[in-house]
Amino acid sequence: MDNISEQRACIKFCFKIGKNATECFELIKLAFGDIALSRCVTFDWFKRFKEGRISIEDDHRPGRPSTSKTNDIISLVRDKIRSDRRLTVREVANEIGISIGTCHSILSDELGMKRVSAKLVPKLLTEEQMEHRIEVCLDLKNRVSNDPSFIKSIITGDETWVYGYDPETKVQSSQWKTANSPRPKKCRQVRSNIKAMLIVFFDFFGLVHYEFAPTGQTINQVFYKQVLERLREKVRRKRPEAWKSKSWFLHHDNAPAHSALSAREFLTSKNIPVVPHPPYSPDLAPCDFFFVSETEKYPQRPQI
């Protein structure tokens, strides 16, 4: 029973026990306080019960049936939204010819929709790129299933910026304090202006090769080809078994320097197979997750 019906039942009770309308209103006001019915409404319902009314529910009002929430209108709203999901409620209502309130009710109640902001993602892939990603991932999964040693023969590499220092995080700067001690303070920190480009290659067993790019050096195809030559020498020295059997694979992303024609020709001439990497797939690039500033959180970060 809602609040209004409850007060009407109390008014009926007061009438039954012989109270007059004024006494009934005072009791209703005392019992319900600010949400009590007004004097006019209380007297009106007291009069109805005095005239023989029994029900405490509202009278049935026939009115004109709603012609907006029909199945055809709901289908039109659904089709409009599916054709352009950025339409506003006002635009949909004006195009169909219904009120804004009715349109909003159809969207929220009948269709179960709500307006949300778009999620920010690094890159919107095309259908071909998504299919290529699935194909590459399934191929890698099958290769690992058929050859468990395949994952150990991959040497992955990438470039990353290394800064002179990393700003202290909010968690790192937290301290224990009592209720009476002042809150600790710290000044705003910015990332170091001193930085260097680190090029690193590692495999299942650890670090294979790393070097810092000279100051002002752009990682282009010419420089990256020289890096690959030095990588081959390190593989020969640090992974002699893989070097002799030619069983190691190179994995890098699709950066312009990595996918340049000269780099691909060099790898082909040296018989170095490359693990495929779908476009814009950071989830297949361990370097994007492996080199982070929170060394406490990731203790396996290689020490160089």
Side-chain angles (χ1 to χ4, degrees):
M1 181 183 296
D2 58 11
N3 179 62
I4 296 179
S5 299
E6 184 179 357
Q7 294 188 53
R8 293 174 183 172
C10 293
I11 296 172
K12 184 178 180 181
F13 175 77
C14 291
F15 168 73
K16 290 289 187 180
I17 63 176
K19 300 290 185 181
N20 57 36
T22 302
E23 292 174 337
C24 178
F25 173 70
E26 294 297 333
L27 293 174
I28 292 294
K29 187 176 179 182
L30 178 63
F32 293 93
D34 295 336
I35 60 174
L37 296 175
S38 65
R39 181 184 179 90
C40 180
V41 175
T42 303
F43 274 59
D44 179 65
W45 277 95
F46 191 91
K47 180 182 178 182
R48 295 185 186 184
F49 294 131
K50 188 176 180 179
E51 292 175 350
R53 185 185 178 93
I54 299 176
S55 174
I56 62 175
E57 302 296 332
D58 289 324
D59 295 332
H60 177 69
R61 294 176 295 177
R64 192 180 72 172
S66 175
T67 58
S68 299
K69 282 190 177 182
T70 62
N71 294 332
D72 294 338
I73 295 297
I74 295 175
S75 299
L76 286 176
V77 174
R78 182 189 296 110
D79 295 339
K80 285 291 182 181
I81 292 297
R82 287 181 176 178
S83 63
D84 186 1
R85 295 184 179 270
R86 294 192 175 186
L87 290 173
T88 63
V89 177
R90 184 182 298 274
E91 291 172 342
V92 176
N94 292 337
E95 291 185 15
I96 298 179
I98 58 179
S99 66
I100 297 177
T102 302
C103 183
H104 186 275
S105 176
I106 292 175
L107 289 172
S108 59
D109 299 335
E110 304 296 334
L111 302 180
M113 293 184 173
K114 62 179 181 180
R115 194 175 182 89
V116 296
S117 300
K119 182 174 66 174
L120 183 63
V121 295
K123 186 69 177 181
L124 293 176
L125 302 180
T126 62
E127 293 292 338
E128 293 77 9
Q129 290 174 333
M130 289 189 288
E131 291 178 0
H132 182 46
R133 171 183 283 188
I134 296 175
E135 294 174 358
V136 171
C137 292
L138 290 177
D139 180 63
L140 293 176
K141 180 181 178 181
N142 294 332
R143 294 182 69 173
V144 173
S145 301
N146 298 331
D147 184 10
S149 63
F150 171 71
I151 196 70
K152 298 182 180 180
S153 62
I154 298 176
I155 297 178
T156 183
D158 203 355
E159 302 85 22
T160 182
W161 284 109
V162 177
Y163 294 86
Y165 62 87
D166 292 321
E168 191 178 44
T169 64
K170 186 175 182 180
V171 175
Q172 291 172 339
S173 63
S174 61
Q175 303 178 19
W176 291 103
K177 63 179 289 292
T178 63
N180 298 327
S181 60
R183 183 175 180 177
K185 299 179 181 179
K186 70 173 184 178
C187 62
R188 183 180 298 275
Q189 295 179 342
V190 296
R191 179 167 285 181
S192 172
N193 291 328
I194 302 175
K195 61 181 180 179
M197 176 65 72
L198 172 65
I199 306 173
V200 61
F201 295 87
F202 58 93
D203 61 1
F204 179 85
F205 304 99
L207 199 62
V208 178
H209 172 65
Y210 76 91
E211 61 179 90
F212 289 94
T215 304
Q217 173 65 52
T218 304
I219 310 299
N220 51 30
Q221 55 180 321
V222 177
F223 181 77
Y224 189 67
K225 181 180 177 181
Q226 299 172 2
V227 173
L228 293 177
E229 293 175 351
R230 292 188 284 271
L231 172 65
R232 289 185 69 249
E233 180 63 21
K234 287 296 182 68
V235 174
R236 185 183 67 83
R237 292 170 51 190
K238 294 186 176 182
R239 304 291 187 267
E241 296 182 359
W243 173 266
K244 292 179 181 179
S245 61
K246 297 182 180 180
S247 59
W248 64 283
F249 298 82
L250 176 65
H251 174 241
H252 53 197
D253 57 20
N254 297 316
H258 303 170
S259 59
L261 179 60
S262 59
R264 289 187 280 114
E265 289 178 347
F266 173 80
L267 295 173
T268 303
S269 64
K270 302 300 181 181
N271 296 322
I272 302 176
V274 179
V275 177
H277 186 87
Y280 305 104
S281 299
D283 49 340
L284 296 181
C287 291
D288 291 346
F289 302 97
F290 206 63
F291 290 96
V292 292
S293 58
E294 293 83 5
T295 55
E296 295 81 1
K297 184 177 180 181
Y298 299 95
Q300 70 274 25
R301 177 179 177 180
Q303 301 300 318
I304 55 178

